[in-house]
Amino acid sequence: ASAGTISRPVVPVPGKQSAGLYVFETPYGHTVVGPTNISQTSKTDRLVSTASQETLLAHLYSLYPSIKTARPVGLFAGLRPATQHQDYCISIDTDRGWVTVGGIRSTGLTCSLALSQYIANALVPNYTPSNLPIMPHPKVEGHMLKIGSKLYRPTHPLSRLGLLGADLPQQFVKLAEM
């Protein structure tokens, strides 16, 4: 889809099985639809199935029929760490100096600061959070991102595609030629 097609994010009403399919435009003008929530047993299979592709595109086209002629420039999948429990699994063993935080799904980024404060509070007597330092403005240097004095290589497909204009993995190029 061309930049400006999606005027605002479309946020679904979450259900018991899934948070639903979001539709939004990246700062770089790419339309994103997803994620799916498909359980699997493989810990290495990161392919996007044809059924998932069809579901995602059908959802997108139902909301924005004018972009049916657009072709995907990228598909990606990630494996989420999960447990059989719906809640987070947090275990703190101070005798062994061991903290385990697992089963964090979609809400992990949103609650990461609260989780860290919860754990710090359990480990540090009279813990009080301090103010975070202001992050230096990031600068693009080749295919790297410089933040302060450190260089980082973005690996998330949306970051690579938009921020750095980096070469896409071969599966992305084949899809774009469809």
Side-chain angles (χ1 to χ4, degrees):
S2 61
T5 302
I6 311 300
S7 61
R8 60 181 171 71
V10 176
V11 180
V13 175
K16 193 148 182 79
Q17 291 295 326
S18 167
L21 296 176
Y22 292 78
V23 177
F24 62 94
E25 189 171 280
T26 71
Y28 319 108
H30 301 104
T31 300
V32 177
V33 59
T36 59
N37 182 14
I38 300 170
S39 296
Q40 65 181 43
T41 56
S42 171
K43 296 188 185 326
T44 58
D45 181 8
R46 294 175 40 132
L47 295 176
V48 179
S49 70
T50 302
S52 289
Q53 291 177 45
E54 290 170 355
T55 298
L56 293 168
L57 290 175
H59 178 70
L60 179 64
Y61 297 156
S62 73
L63 297 172
Y64 300 95
S66 64
I67 63 173
K68 282 187 178 184
T69 57
R71 291 285 174 242
V73 294
L75 299 170
F76 60 93
L79 303 176
R80 296 179 186 183
T83 68
Q84 67 274 24
H85 308 289
Q86 284 190 324
D87 208 354
Y88 304 157
C89 296
I90 301 171
S91 171
I92 301 172
D93 186 339
T94 53
D95 293 336
R96 292 178 38 204
W98 193 260
V99 176
T100 303
V101 180
I104 312 299
R105 297 181 185 212
S106 298
T107 57
L109 179 61
T110 307
C111 72
S112 60
L113 288 176
L115 284 171
S116 66
Q117 287 181 4
Y118 174 83
I119 293 164
N121 200 32
L123 296 174
V124 178
N126 303 315
Y127 169 76
T128 55
S130 60
N131 291 329
L132 295 174
I134 296 174
M135 186 175 103
H137 185 72
K139 297 177 184 153
V140 176
E141 293 188 2
H143 289 298
M144 302 288 280
L145 192 61
K146 186 173 186 177
I147 301 175
S149 61
K150 297 190 179 210
L151 281 173
Y152 300 91
R153 181 183 314 277
T155 57
H156 192 282
L158 288 177
S159 297
R160 291 186 61 210
L161 177 63
L163 178 64
L164 301 177
D167 294 335
L168 293 170
Q170 201 55 41
Q171 76 181 63
F172 286 26
V173 174
K174 286 179 185 170
L175 286 167
E177 294 171 353
M178 288 173 45

